[in-house]
Amino acid sequence: MKGITRYYRRIYSLFFSIVFAGCVLSLFSAPVMEKLFKQEIVEKFGYIVVVNGKEVGQVSSPKEAQQAYNAARLMLNADGVLVYADVELEVYETSDMKDFTTLDNMTSDIYAIMQGSQITTDKKEAYTVRIEDYVVTLASKEEVITLFEMIKQDYDKENEFQVVLSTNDDGTMAVALEKATVDEMDPGRVSATLIGNTAHLNQEIIDPEKVKDGLLLMGYSESISIIPTTKNDYEVVSLEDAYAAITKATEEKQYHTVVAGDSLYGICGKYNITIEELLALNPDMTIKSMIHVGDKIVILVPTKEVNILNTEIVTYKEKFNLPTIYKDNNSMYIGVYNTVSAGKAGYREVKAMITYENGVEVSREIIVEEVIEEAVAAIVERGTVTPPTYINPFYGWAPVTSAFGYRTHPVTGQVNSFHTGVDFGVPSGTPMLASRSGKVIRAAWMGGYGYCVDIQHSDGVVTRYAHLSVINVYVGQYVTQGQVVAKSGMTGVATGPHLHFEIRINGGSTPVDPLKYLNK
């Protein structure tokens, strides 16, 4: 019995060992088995394709359904068919496996369903108008002509020009404005051309004097082409809508270059904007700002898809001036001018070609001129010598306590006493600097000036430093600009410590306002 018991014990122990090993193995193998099981399930799934509620087959991926749908739409487009309503494509996942539908068969089935959901419209002859990057399509050539007739009507009041379409070699059409009738006595009407926004008269063909006043040319600023095509009704716009879109003006920022005679108010009038609008566009300017020839000023210009150019011949009388004659003067500083003789305006009759863009003048060329009264040019001397630089006669900054010119004398009380220099409020003992390089011609006591230093410069100008407490230079000494020549004080007739500084021109005989020369 003991032997049998041991045997059963071994069997029992082996059984539990196998069970334990199986449990451990299941813990490690479960994720793997689950993954394999799921993969097998996924691979058995497909996708049912439904179009407008009707099943059209089964595919292995939604991408295939979309490819078939797109291919069917392309087939419709090739037929020239207008989609009446969007076709609804639906894709459902399924585990009810069937044979997958081929792409060609599914495309054919979807195409058949789409045909039943569409209406067919025959494409009709139409004309696409391309204006630079803007495109609009009209129903007929007659509407194209009418459109451009409407565009020009505001600038051709007498209806002298007509819209003409011509066919190019590539089949496209060009649009032009031509004179309706040409007077045989006025060949200038057909001897002028618009290049850009400037009119040019072919003077080899026509005598400018024979060109009559009036509207000479009309054209467009933009490049325009007309393209014959076929379109469905929904792609064609009405004549009224096309005209409204093309002629609607939008404001665009541009630059006006200042020319002689311009003023802020004149510029506002030219571009039909207020002075407040102009200043808002140019925040660095004020109503008192000076403008100069060549300055760039921001303005608002109304722009349209099509801009009409019209050139007129105009005869008028006007005053005119000849350009100023400048003569260099080597004894005058640059920036200094002296009028030798004043000019005189002349009077003339001119015939000019004036070109307008949407009614705003863009160019003017005088083609005939008859002088009634000769003009005389002004003659002006201008300096060529680089002016000297005068620096403050002390370091840093100091207040002006008494300016150049007439004043009540602070010591004597004399009214309208002429002050020949400028007083700077500097403490006694402040180093005084040579304002320019030069030769010391005075370094001594000088009556009411007290201790005084005069420095003569190469052009004969003299600078004077007065009421000094200490003199650091001597007569005949050459000093450089910025060199210490003395120290301030209150010697002579003075109410307190300060520097009296003068600049004297004409060899030192004529005092001028030093503040107009310092640091220039």
Side-chain angles (χ1 to χ4, degrees):
M1 289 296 293
K2 291 182 180 179
I4 295 173
T5 302
R6 284 197 297 270
Y7 171 76
Y8 279 108
R9 286 178 179 172
R10 285 198 296 272
I11 294 297
Y12 185 78
S13 176
L14 178 61
F15 172 76
F16 278 102
S17 296
I18 292 171
V19 171
F20 178 76
C23 291
V24 172
L25 180 61
S26 66
L27 290 173
F28 287 99
S29 62
V32 176
M33 295 301 293
E34 181 182 3
K35 182 176 181 181
L36 292 174
F37 179 72
K38 285 185 176 179
Q39 183 176 359
E40 183 180 356
I41 292 175
V42 170
E43 289 176 349
K44 289 182 179 180
F45 271 83
Y47 296 88
I48 297 174
V49 182
V50 177
V51 176
N52 282 7
K54 182 177 180 180
E55 184 176 332
V56 293
Q58 197 171 122
V59 292
S60 62
S61 71
K63 183 177 179 181
E64 291 182 20
Q66 189 65 49
Q67 287 175 338
Y69 177 81
N70 292 342
R73 292 298 295 258
L74 289 174
M75 291 170 65
L76 276 180
N77 291 342
D79 293 341
V81 176
L82 170 64
V83 178
Y84 182 74
D86 288 336
V87 179
E88 185 177 8
L89 171 69
E90 298 173 282
V91 180
Y92 300 100
E93 190 179 72
T94 180
S95 60
D96 183 13
M97 294 303 298
K98 297 179 181 179
D99 290 337
F100 291 148
T101 309
T102 65
L103 185 63
D104 288 342
N105 289 340
M106 182 165 290
T107 300
S108 298
D109 291 343
I110 296 175
Y111 171 67
I113 294 173
M114 285 183 173
Q115 281 187 315
S117 304
Q118 319 305 315
I119 59 170
T120 302
T121 58
D122 295 330
K123 291 186 176 181
K124 300 176 182 178
E125 181 182 63
Y127 292 83
T128 296
V129 180
R130 179 178 291 278
I131 307 167
E132 302 291 354
D133 295 328
Y134 180 81
V135 175
V136 64
T137 300
L138 294 171
S140 67
K141 185 189 300 184
E142 290 71 26
E143 284 194 355
V144 172
I145 293 174
T146 303
L147 171 66
F148 284 98
E149 287 284 355
M150 293 168 65
I151 291 172
K152 79 168 178 72
Q153 63 187 356
D154 289 339
Y155 308 100
D156 183 17
K157 299 295 185 183
E158 303 299 324
N159 203 30
E160 298 179 65
F161 284 76
Q162 61 186 10
V163 176
V164 176
L165 300 183
S166 58
T167 304
N168 300 319
D169 293 338
D170 60 0
T172 62
M173 307 179 78
V175 60
L177 292 168
E178 295 183 0
K179 193 75 167 60
T181 59
V182 179
D183 188 343
E184 293 183 359
M185 299 302 293
D186 190 13
R189 301 285 182 183
V190 291
S191 300
T193 54
L194 269 169
I195 301 178
N197 61 359
T198 304
H200 297 271
L201 194 67
N202 191 337
Q203 298 191 21
E204 296 178 359
I205 298 177
I206 179 64
D207 182 353
E209 293 187 359
K210 294 183 179 180
V211 183
K212 297 179 181 179
D213 283 7
L215 189 57
L216 178 67
L217 296 169
M218 290 194 75
Y220 307 100
S221 298
E222 294 73 27
S223 173
I224 303 173
S225 61
I226 315 300
I227 306 167
T229 185
T230 57
K231 296 288 185 181
N232 290 305
D233 289 341
Y234 79 100
E235 297 175 289
V236 178
V237 303
S238 69
L239 177 61
E240 292 74 17
D241 288 345
Y243 175 75
I246 288 174
T247 58
K248 181 181 179 181
T250 57
E251 291 187 328
E252 179 180 285
K253 286 185 179 181
Q254 295 183 13
Y255 287 98
H256 170 82
T257 302
V258 176
V259 297
D262 269 350
S263 66
L264 293 182
Y265 282 99
I267 294 171
C268 290
K270 181 175 182 178
Y271 295 102
N272 194 30
I273 60 177
T274 65
I275 188 67
E276 290 77 16
E277 290 172 330
L278 184 68
L279 296 179
L281 291 168
N282 299 269
D284 294 337
M285 294 175 56
T286 69
I287 199 169
K288 296 181 179 180
S289 293
M290 300 292 291
I291 58 176
H292 306 88
V293 173
D295 286 352
K296 300 286 186 181
I297 296 178
V298 180
I299 44 89
L300 284 177
V301 177
T303 60
K304 305 176 182 179
E305 299 296 344
V306 172
N307 295 281
I308 291 289
L309 295 170
N310 58 297
T311 300
E312 297 180 359
I313 298 294
V314 181
T315 301
Y316 55 92
K317 293 179 180 179
E318 67 173 3
K319 289 184 178 181
F320 70 100
N321 293 287
L322 295 177
T324 300
I325 298 173
Y326 290 98
K327 294 186 175 181
D328 291 342
N329 187 324
N330 297 331
S331 64
M332 293 165 51
Y333 293 132
I334 294 173
V336 176
Y337 295 87
N338 177 46
T339 301
V340 177
S341 60
K344 179 184 177 184
Y347 196 63
R348 65 184 176 184
E349 181 177 272
V350 300
K351 179 178 288 188
M353 287 197 308
I354 307 173
T355 300
Y356 302 88
E357 184 176 70
N358 296 336
V360 177
E361 182 178 333
V362 292
S363 67
R364 177 182 297 241
E365 179 186 355
I366 294 176
I367 57 176
V368 179
E369 174 184 357
E370 180 184 354
V371 176
I372 300 171
E373 184 178 344
E374 293 286 353
V376 178
I379 300 176
V380 175
E381 288 183 317
R382 59 186 175 189
T384 61
V385 179
T386 301
T389 300
Y390 295 82
I391 66 172
N392 283 342
F394 46 83
Y395 295 116
W397 174 89
V400 174
T401 56
S402 185
F404 175 86
Y406 289 98
R407 66 174 183 174
T408 299
H409 198 284
V411 176
T412 65
Q414 179 184 348
V415 179
N416 289 330
S417 172
F418 190 79
H419 190 217
T420 55
V422 60
D423 291 345
F424 294 100
V426 293
S428 184
T430 300
M432 297 292 100
L433 314 177
S435 186
R436 279 180 64 193
S437 299
K439 179 182 178 181
V440 178
I441 60 173
R442 185 192 306 276
W445 184 272
M446 188 184 176
Y449 284 107
Y451 286 112
C452 179
V453 170
D454 286 355
I455 301 174
Q456 188 175 56
H457 309 287
S458 58
D459 53 3
V461 175
V462 173
T463 54
R464 175 169 294 170
Y465 314 77
H467 305 304
L468 306 173
S469 60
V470 176
I471 294 176
N472 297 94
V473 293
Y474 55 87
V475 173
Q477 180 181 354
Y478 286 90
V479 295
T480 58
Q481 187 179 57
Q483 181 177 336
V484 176
V485 296
K487 292 184 178 179
S488 64
M490 55 178 295
T491 57
V493 179
T495 57
H498 69 281
L499 167 68
H500 174 87
F501 177 70
E502 295 183 9
I503 295 180
R504 292 174 167 265
I505 62 174
N506 298 328
S509 62
T510 307
V512 293
D513 186 355
L515 296 181
K516 293 183 178 181
Y517 289 77
L518 290 175
N519 304 311
K520 302 297 185 183

